[in-house]
Short mmCIF file of all heavy atoms in Angstrom, two decimals:
data_model
loop_
_atom_site.label_atom_id
_atom_site.label_comp_id
_atom_site.label_asym_id
_atom_site.label_seq_id
_atom_site.Cartn_x
_atom_site.Cartn_y
_atom_site.Cartn_z
N ALA N 21 7.00 -3.14 -47.53
CA ALA N 21 6.59 -2.49 -46.28
C ALA N 21 7.69 -2.61 -45.24
O ALA N 21 8.01 -1.66 -44.54
CB ALA N 21 5.30 -3.10 -45.76
N TYR N 22 8.31 -3.77 -45.13
CA TYR N 22 9.36 -3.92 -44.15
C TYR N 22 10.66 -3.31 -44.63
O TYR N 22 11.38 -2.68 -43.88
CB TYR N 22 9.57 -5.40 -43.80
CG TYR N 22 10.52 -5.56 -42.65
CD1 TYR N 22 10.13 -5.18 -41.38
CD2 TYR N 22 11.80 -6.02 -42.83
CE1 TYR N 22 10.99 -5.28 -40.31
CE2 TYR N 22 12.67 -6.13 -41.77
CZ TYR N 22 12.26 -5.76 -40.52
OH TYR N 22 13.11 -5.85 -39.47
N ALA N 23 10.97 -3.47 -45.92
CA ALA N 23 12.22 -2.94 -46.44
C ALA N 23 12.25 -1.43 -46.42
O ALA N 23 13.31 -0.83 -46.39
CB ALA N 23 12.45 -3.44 -47.86
N GLY N 24 11.10 -0.79 -46.41
CA GLY N 24 11.04 0.66 -46.38
C GLY N 24 11.57 1.23 -45.09
O GLY N 24 11.99 2.37 -45.03
N GLU N 25 11.57 0.45 -44.03
CA GLU N 25 12.12 0.89 -42.76
C GLU N 25 13.58 0.49 -42.74
O GLU N 25 13.93 -0.56 -43.25
CB GLU N 25 11.42 0.17 -41.60
CG GLU N 25 9.95 0.36 -41.57
CD GLU N 25 9.31 -0.46 -40.46
OE1 GLU N 25 10.01 -1.23 -39.78
OE2 GLU N 25 8.12 -0.31 -40.29
N PRO N 26 14.44 1.30 -42.14
CA PRO N 26 15.80 0.78 -41.98
C PRO N 26 15.69 -0.50 -41.18
O PRO N 26 14.99 -0.56 -40.19
CB PRO N 26 16.52 1.87 -41.20
CG PRO N 26 15.75 3.12 -41.50
CD PRO N 26 14.33 2.66 -41.68
N SER N 27 16.34 -1.54 -41.63
CA SER N 27 16.17 -2.84 -41.01
C SER N 27 16.79 -2.87 -39.64
O SER N 27 17.64 -2.06 -39.31
CB SER N 27 16.79 -3.92 -41.88
OG SER N 27 18.17 -3.83 -41.81
N ALA N 28 16.38 -3.86 -38.88
CA ALA N 28 16.89 -4.01 -37.53
C ALA N 28 18.38 -4.24 -37.55
O ALA N 28 18.98 -4.39 -36.53
CB ALA N 28 16.17 -5.15 -36.84
N SER N 29 18.96 -4.24 -38.70
CA SER N 29 20.38 -4.45 -38.73
C SER N 29 21.00 -4.11 -40.05
O SER N 29 21.53 -4.99 -40.68
CB SER N 29 20.66 -5.90 -38.42
OG SER N 29 20.16 -6.70 -39.45
N ALA N 30 21.04 -2.86 -40.50
CA ALA N 30 21.60 -2.85 -41.81
C ALA N 30 22.07 -1.56 -42.40
O ALA N 30 21.45 -1.03 -43.26
CB ALA N 30 20.59 -3.42 -42.73
N PRO N 31 23.17 -1.06 -42.03
CA PRO N 31 23.64 0.05 -42.81
C PRO N 31 24.35 -0.38 -44.09
O PRO N 31 24.41 0.37 -45.02
CB PRO N 31 24.60 0.78 -41.90
CG PRO N 31 24.95 -0.16 -40.84
CD PRO N 31 23.91 -1.23 -40.81
N ARG N 32 24.88 -1.61 -44.16
CA ARG N 32 25.63 -2.04 -45.33
C ARG N 32 24.77 -2.90 -46.23
O ARG N 32 24.20 -3.87 -45.81
CB ARG N 32 26.87 -2.81 -44.89
CG ARG N 32 27.87 -1.87 -44.25
CD ARG N 32 29.02 -2.61 -43.69
NE ARG N 32 29.07 -2.27 -42.28
CZ ARG N 32 29.59 -3.02 -41.36
NH1 ARG N 32 30.11 -4.16 -41.65
NH2 ARG N 32 29.59 -2.62 -40.11
N THR N 36 22.52 -6.37 -45.54
CA THR N 36 21.06 -6.33 -45.48
C THR N 36 20.48 -7.43 -46.32
O THR N 36 19.47 -7.99 -45.98
CB THR N 36 20.47 -5.00 -46.00
OG1 THR N 36 21.45 -4.18 -46.52
CG2 THR N 36 19.70 -4.30 -44.95
N ILE N 39 20.66 -11.01 -44.28
CA ILE N 39 19.83 -11.30 -43.11
C ILE N 39 18.37 -11.08 -43.47
O ILE N 39 18.00 -10.01 -43.94
CB ILE N 39 20.24 -10.42 -41.91
CG1 ILE N 39 21.66 -10.78 -41.48
CG2 ILE N 39 19.26 -10.60 -40.75
CD1 ILE N 39 22.19 -9.94 -40.35
N ARG N 41 14.50 -10.71 -42.40
CA ARG N 41 13.64 -10.35 -41.28
C ARG N 41 12.19 -10.39 -41.76
O ARG N 41 11.86 -9.76 -42.75
CB ARG N 41 13.97 -8.96 -40.77
CG ARG N 41 15.30 -8.90 -40.10
CD ARG N 41 15.75 -7.46 -39.93
NE ARG N 41 17.18 -7.40 -39.77
CZ ARG N 41 18.04 -7.47 -40.78
NH1 ARG N 41 17.62 -7.57 -42.01
NH2 ARG N 41 19.32 -7.44 -40.55
N ILE N 43 8.36 -9.63 -40.48
CA ILE N 43 7.45 -9.14 -39.44
C ILE N 43 6.27 -10.10 -39.38
O ILE N 43 5.58 -10.32 -40.36
CB ILE N 43 6.97 -7.71 -39.73
CG1 ILE N 43 8.15 -6.74 -39.62
CG2 ILE N 43 5.86 -7.31 -38.76
CD1 ILE N 43 7.81 -5.30 -39.91
N ARG N 46 2.12 -7.01 -35.66
CA ARG N 46 2.22 -5.68 -35.03
C ARG N 46 0.99 -5.51 -34.16
O ARG N 46 -0.12 -5.76 -34.62
CB ARG N 46 2.23 -4.57 -36.06
CG ARG N 46 3.49 -4.41 -36.83
CD ARG N 46 3.35 -3.22 -37.80
NE ARG N 46 4.52 -3.04 -38.61
CZ ARG N 46 5.54 -2.26 -38.30
NH1 ARG N 46 5.53 -1.54 -37.21
NH2 ARG N 46 6.58 -2.17 -39.10
N GLU N 55 4.05 0.40 -29.89
CA GLU N 55 3.53 -0.82 -30.50
C GLU N 55 4.52 -1.94 -30.24
O GLU N 55 5.71 -1.69 -30.00
CB GLU N 55 3.29 -0.65 -32.00
CG GLU N 55 4.55 -0.48 -32.82
CD GLU N 55 4.28 -0.37 -34.31
OE1 GLU N 55 3.25 -0.86 -34.79
OE2 GLU N 55 5.12 0.23 -35.01
N VAL N 57 6.17 -5.31 -31.94
CA VAL N 57 6.37 -5.90 -33.27
C VAL N 57 7.13 -7.21 -33.09
O VAL N 57 8.21 -7.25 -32.51
CB VAL N 57 7.16 -4.96 -34.20
CG1 VAL N 57 7.26 -5.55 -35.59
CG2 VAL N 57 6.52 -3.57 -34.24
N VAL N 59 9.14 -10.23 -34.75
CA VAL N 59 9.95 -10.38 -35.97
C VAL N 59 10.73 -11.70 -35.91
O VAL N 59 11.37 -12.01 -34.91
CB VAL N 59 10.94 -9.20 -36.11
CG1 VAL N 59 11.83 -9.38 -37.34
CG2 VAL N 59 10.20 -7.88 -36.16
N VAL N 61 13.97 -13.42 -37.29
CA VAL N 61 15.26 -13.02 -37.87
C VAL N 61 16.00 -14.29 -38.27
O VAL N 61 16.20 -15.18 -37.45
CB VAL N 61 16.11 -12.23 -36.85
CG1 VAL N 61 17.47 -11.85 -37.44
CG2 VAL N 61 15.36 -11.00 -36.35
N SER N 68 26.62 -10.26 -40.41
CA SER N 68 26.65 -9.18 -39.43
C SER N 68 25.55 -8.19 -39.77
O SER N 68 25.30 -7.90 -40.94
CB SER N 68 28.01 -8.48 -39.48
OG SER N 68 28.02 -7.39 -38.60
N ALA N 69 24.90 -7.65 -38.74
CA ALA N 69 23.79 -6.73 -38.95
C ALA N 69 24.26 -5.32 -39.30
O ALA N 69 23.59 -4.60 -40.01
CB ALA N 69 22.92 -6.67 -37.70
N GLY N 70 25.39 -4.91 -38.78
CA GLY N 70 25.82 -3.52 -38.92
C GLY N 70 25.34 -2.73 -37.71
O GLY N 70 24.30 -3.04 -37.13
N LYS N 71 26.08 -1.75 -37.32
CA LYS N 71 25.77 -0.98 -36.10
C LYS N 71 24.49 -0.17 -36.31
O LYS N 71 24.33 0.51 -37.33
CB LYS N 71 26.94 -0.06 -35.77
CG LYS N 71 26.97 0.39 -34.35
CD LYS N 71 28.31 1.04 -34.03
CE LYS N 71 28.42 1.27 -32.54
NZ LYS N 71 29.70 1.88 -32.20
N HIS N 72 23.58 -0.24 -35.33
CA HIS N 72 22.28 0.43 -35.42
C HIS N 72 21.70 0.65 -34.03
O HIS N 72 22.25 0.18 -33.03
CB HIS N 72 21.32 -0.39 -36.28
CG HIS N 72 21.06 -1.76 -35.72
ND1 HIS N 72 21.94 -2.81 -35.88
CD2 HIS N 72 20.03 -2.25 -35.01
CE1 HIS N 72 21.45 -3.89 -35.27
NE2 HIS N 72 20.29 -3.58 -34.73
N THR N 73 20.58 1.38 -33.97
CA THR N 73 19.83 1.59 -32.72
C THR N 73 18.36 1.29 -32.99
O THR N 73 17.92 1.21 -34.14
CB THR N 73 19.94 3.04 -32.21
OG1 THR N 73 19.38 3.91 -33.18
CG2 THR N 73 21.38 3.43 -31.92
N HIS N 74 17.59 1.17 -31.90
CA HIS N 74 16.14 0.98 -31.99
C HIS N 74 15.45 2.05 -31.14
O HIS N 74 15.96 2.43 -30.09
CB HIS N 74 15.73 -0.39 -31.45
CG HIS N 74 16.42 -1.53 -32.13
ND1 HIS N 74 16.14 -1.90 -33.42
CD2 HIS N 74 17.41 -2.36 -31.71
CE1 HIS N 74 16.90 -2.92 -33.76
NE2 HIS N 74 17.69 -3.22 -32.74
N PRO N 75 14.25 2.52 -31.56
CA PRO N 75 13.53 3.54 -30.79
C PRO N 75 12.70 2.93 -29.65
O PRO N 75 11.60 3.38 -29.36
CB PRO N 75 12.64 4.19 -31.85
CG PRO N 75 12.32 3.06 -32.77
CD PRO N 75 13.58 2.23 -32.82
N GLY N 76 13.22 1.90 -29.04
CA GLY N 76 12.53 1.22 -27.95
C GLY N 76 13.32 -0.03 -27.59
O GLY N 76 14.35 -0.33 -28.20
N THR N 77 12.84 -0.76 -26.62
CA THR N 77 13.52 -1.97 -26.15
C THR N 77 13.23 -3.15 -27.07
O THR N 77 12.13 -3.29 -27.60
CB THR N 77 13.03 -2.31 -24.73
OG1 THR N 77 13.30 -1.19 -23.88
CG2 THR N 77 13.74 -3.53 -24.17
N VAL N 78 14.25 -3.99 -27.23
CA VAL N 78 14.11 -5.22 -28.02
C VAL N 78 14.54 -6.38 -27.14
O VAL N 78 15.56 -6.31 -26.46
CB VAL N 78 14.98 -5.18 -29.28
CG1 VAL N 78 14.85 -6.49 -30.06
CG2 VAL N 78 14.62 -4.00 -30.16
N TYR N 87 24.57 -16.53 -31.68
CA TYR N 87 24.38 -15.13 -32.07
C TYR N 87 25.14 -14.27 -31.09
O TYR N 87 24.95 -14.38 -29.88
CB TYR N 87 22.88 -14.80 -32.03
CG TYR N 87 22.45 -13.79 -33.05
CD1 TYR N 87 22.52 -14.06 -34.41
CD2 TYR N 87 21.96 -12.56 -32.66
CE1 TYR N 87 22.09 -13.13 -35.35
CE2 TYR N 87 21.53 -11.62 -33.59
CZ TYR N 87 21.61 -11.92 -34.94
OH TYR N 87 21.19 -11.00 -35.87
N MET N 89 26.04 -10.61 -29.54
CA MET N 89 25.56 -9.24 -29.38
C MET N 89 26.74 -8.36 -28.99
O MET N 89 27.50 -8.68 -28.07
CB MET N 89 24.49 -9.18 -28.29
CG MET N 89 23.23 -10.00 -28.60
SD MET N 89 22.41 -9.51 -30.13
CE MET N 89 21.98 -7.82 -29.78
N VAL N 107 18.11 -5.58 -25.77
CA VAL N 107 18.82 -4.42 -26.29
C VAL N 107 18.07 -3.19 -25.79
O VAL N 107 16.90 -3.00 -26.10
CB VAL N 107 18.87 -4.41 -27.83
CG1 VAL N 107 19.62 -3.19 -28.34
CG2 VAL N 107 19.50 -5.68 -28.37
N PRO N 108 18.74 -2.34 -24.99
CA PRO N 108 18.09 -1.14 -24.48
C PRO N 108 17.77 -0.14 -25.60
O PRO N 108 18.44 -0.10 -26.63
CB PRO N 108 19.12 -0.54 -23.52
CG PRO N 108 20.11 -1.63 -23.26
CD PRO N 108 20.09 -2.51 -24.47
N SER N 109 16.77 0.65 -25.37
CA SER N 109 16.35 1.68 -26.32
C SER N 109 17.49 2.63 -26.65
O SER N 109 18.20 3.10 -25.76
CB SER N 109 15.18 2.46 -25.70
OG SER N 109 14.76 3.48 -26.56
N ARG N 110 17.65 2.91 -27.93
CA ARG N 110 18.58 3.90 -28.47
C ARG N 110 20.06 3.63 -28.18
O ARG N 110 20.89 4.53 -28.33
CB ARG N 110 18.20 5.30 -28.01
CG ARG N 110 16.78 5.69 -28.39
CD ARG N 110 16.46 7.12 -28.09
NE ARG N 110 15.05 7.45 -28.06
CZ ARG N 110 14.17 7.28 -29.04
NH1 ARG N 110 14.53 6.77 -30.17
NH2 ARG N 110 12.91 7.63 -28.89
N VAL N 111 20.44 2.43 -27.77
CA VAL N 111 21.84 2.09 -27.52
C VAL N 111 22.44 1.47 -28.79
O VAL N 111 21.92 0.47 -29.29
CB VAL N 111 21.98 1.12 -26.33
CG1 VAL N 111 23.43 0.66 -26.17
CG2 VAL N 111 21.48 1.77 -25.05
N PRO N 112 23.51 2.07 -29.32
CA PRO N 112 24.14 1.50 -30.52
C PRO N 112 24.65 0.08 -30.26
O PRO N 112 25.19 -0.21 -29.19
CB PRO N 112 25.31 2.45 -30.80
CG PRO N 112 24.93 3.73 -30.11
CD PRO N 112 24.16 3.31 -28.89
N HIS N 113 24.46 -0.77 -31.25
CA HIS N 113 24.92 -2.15 -31.14
C HIS N 113 25.03 -2.79 -32.51
O HIS N 113 24.52 -2.27 -33.50
CB HIS N 113 23.96 -2.97 -30.25
CG HIS N 113 22.59 -3.08 -30.82
ND1 HIS N 113 21.69 -2.04 -30.77
CD2 HIS N 113 21.96 -4.08 -31.47
CE1 HIS N 113 20.56 -2.41 -31.35
NE2 HIS N 113 20.71 -3.65 -31.79
N ASP N 114 25.70 -3.93 -32.55
CA ASP N 114 25.80 -4.77 -33.74
C ASP N 114 25.48 -6.17 -33.28
O ASP N 114 25.45 -6.45 -32.07
CB ASP N 114 27.21 -4.68 -34.34
CG ASP N 114 27.30 -5.23 -35.76
OD1 ASP N 114 26.28 -5.75 -36.29
OD2 ASP N 114 28.40 -5.18 -36.34
N GLU N 115 25.22 -7.04 -34.22
CA GLU N 115 24.93 -8.44 -33.89
C GLU N 115 25.42 -9.30 -35.03
O GLU N 115 25.41 -8.87 -36.18
CB GLU N 115 23.44 -8.63 -33.62
CG GLU N 115 22.56 -8.04 -34.70
CD GLU N 115 21.16 -7.73 -34.22
OE1 GLU N 115 21.00 -6.81 -33.41
OE2 GLU N 115 20.25 -8.41 -34.69
N ALA N 126 12.37 -12.06 -32.30
CA ALA N 126 12.61 -10.79 -31.63
C ALA N 126 11.30 -10.05 -31.40
O ALA N 126 10.41 -10.07 -32.26
CB ALA N 126 13.55 -9.92 -32.47
N VAL N 127 11.20 -9.40 -30.24
CA VAL N 127 10.03 -8.61 -29.89
C VAL N 127 10.49 -7.17 -29.66
O VAL N 127 11.26 -6.90 -28.75
CB VAL N 127 9.33 -9.15 -28.61
CG1 VAL N 127 8.14 -8.28 -28.25
CG2 VAL N 127 8.92 -10.60 -28.81
N PHE N 128 10.02 -6.28 -30.53
CA PHE N 128 10.35 -4.86 -30.45
C PHE N 128 9.19 -4.14 -29.76
O PHE N 128 8.04 -4.32 -30.16
CB PHE N 128 10.48 -4.25 -31.85
CG PHE N 128 11.63 -4.77 -32.66
CD1 PHE N 128 11.64 -6.06 -33.15
CD2 PHE N 128 12.69 -3.93 -32.95
CE1 PHE N 128 12.69 -6.52 -33.92
CE2 PHE N 128 13.75 -4.38 -33.72
CZ PHE N 128 13.76 -5.69 -34.21
N THR N 129 9.47 -3.35 -28.74
CA THR N 129 8.47 -2.44 -28.17
C THR N 129 8.98 -1.05 -28.51
O THR N 129 9.92 -0.55 -27.90
CB THR N 129 8.34 -2.63 -26.65
OG1 THR N 129 8.01 -4.00 -26.39
CG2 THR N 129 7.23 -1.75 -26.08
N VAL N 130 8.38 -0.47 -29.54
CA VAL N 130 8.90 0.76 -30.12
C VAL N 130 7.81 1.81 -30.28
O VAL N 130 6.62 1.49 -30.28
CB VAL N 130 9.57 0.49 -31.48
CG1 VAL N 130 10.81 -0.38 -31.32
CG2 VAL N 130 8.60 -0.16 -32.45
N GLU N 131 8.24 3.05 -30.43
CA GLU N 131 7.30 4.14 -30.66
C GLU N 131 6.61 3.94 -32.01
O GLU N 131 7.27 3.64 -33.00
CB GLU N 131 8.02 5.48 -30.65
CG GLU N 131 8.56 5.85 -29.29
CD GLU N 131 9.29 7.19 -29.33
OE1 GLU N 131 8.70 8.17 -29.85
OE2 GLU N 131 10.43 7.24 -28.85
N LYS N 132 5.29 4.11 -32.03
CA LYS N 132 4.52 3.98 -33.26
C LYS N 132 5.04 5.00 -34.28
O LYS N 132 5.36 6.13 -33.95
CB LYS N 132 3.04 4.26 -33.02
CG LYS N 132 2.36 3.25 -32.14
CD LYS N 132 0.91 3.67 -31.92
CE LYS N 132 0.33 2.99 -30.70
NZ LYS N 132 -1.01 3.46 -30.38
N GLY N 133 5.10 4.57 -35.52
CA GLY N 133 5.48 5.47 -36.59
C GLY N 133 6.97 5.65 -36.78
O GLY N 133 7.41 6.27 -37.73
N LYS N 134 7.77 5.13 -35.88
CA LYS N 134 9.23 5.24 -36.00
C LYS N 134 9.76 3.99 -36.72
O LYS N 134 9.16 2.92 -36.62
CB LYS N 134 9.89 5.32 -34.62
CG LYS N 134 9.42 6.46 -33.77
CD LYS N 134 10.36 7.61 -33.87
CE LYS N 134 9.84 8.75 -33.01
NZ LYS N 134 10.84 9.65 -32.59
N PRO N 135 10.87 4.11 -37.42
CA PRO N 135 11.45 2.92 -38.04
C PRO N 135 11.92 1.97 -36.94
O PRO N 135 12.28 2.41 -35.86
CB PRO N 135 12.62 3.46 -38.84
CG PRO N 135 12.93 4.78 -38.25
CD PRO N 135 11.64 5.32 -37.66
N LEU N 136 11.91 0.68 -37.24
CA LEU N 136 12.34 -0.30 -36.23
C LEU N 136 13.81 -0.12 -35.87
O LEU N 136 14.21 -0.41 -34.75
CB LEU N 136 12.12 -1.73 -36.72
CG LEU N 136 10.67 -2.18 -36.82
CD1 LEU N 136 10.61 -3.63 -37.26
CD2 LEU N 136 9.94 -2.00 -35.50
N ALA N 137 14.60 0.37 -36.80
CA ALA N 137 16.03 0.55 -36.54
C ALA N 137 16.56 1.70 -37.36
O ALA N 137 16.02 2.04 -38.40
CB ALA N 137 16.80 -0.72 -36.88
N THR N 138 17.64 2.29 -36.84
CA THR N 138 18.32 3.38 -37.54
C THR N 138 19.81 3.05 -37.58
O THR N 138 20.41 2.81 -36.52
CB THR N 138 18.09 4.71 -36.81
OG1 THR N 138 16.69 4.95 -36.73
CG2 THR N 138 18.77 5.86 -37.53
N PRO N 139 20.41 3.02 -38.76
CA PRO N 139 21.84 2.74 -38.86
C PRO N 139 22.66 3.80 -38.12
O PRO N 139 22.29 4.96 -38.06
CB PRO N 139 22.13 2.81 -40.36
CG PRO N 139 20.81 2.65 -41.01
CD PRO N 139 19.80 3.22 -40.07
N VAL N 140 23.80 3.37 -37.57
CA VAL N 140 24.74 4.27 -36.89
C VAL N 140 26.00 4.27 -37.72
O VAL N 140 26.52 3.22 -38.08
CB VAL N 140 25.05 3.77 -35.45
CG1 VAL N 140 26.15 4.61 -34.83
CG2 VAL N 140 23.80 3.80 -34.61
N GLN N 141 26.51 5.45 -38.02
CA GLN N 141 27.73 5.57 -38.83
C GLN N 141 28.95 5.44 -37.96
O GLN N 141 29.03 5.79 -36.88
CB GLN N 141 27.76 6.92 -39.55
CG GLN N 141 26.62 7.09 -40.50
CD GLN N 141 26.56 6.06 -41.62
OE1 GLN N 141 27.57 5.48 -42.00
NE2 GLN N 141 25.39 5.76 -42.11
#
Side-chain angles (χ1 to χ4, degrees):
Y22 188 70
E25 302 176 356
S27 72
S29 66
R32 290 174 238 154
T36 5
I39 295 178
R41 291 165 202 80
I43 293 179
R46 286 182 182 268
E55 67 178 335
V57 184
V59 178
V61 178
S68 176
K71 201 168 190 180
H72 61 280
T73 62
H74 304 289
T77 302
V78 178
Y87 212 65
M89 298 302 298
V107 180
S109 179
R110 303 187 197 302
V111 174
H113 63 284
D114 194 357
E115 49 203 68
V127 178
F128 294 70
T129 304
V130 294
E131 293 179 51
K132 294 177 200 174
K134 302 263 179 156
L136 289 182
T138 302
V140 172
Q141 298 300 335

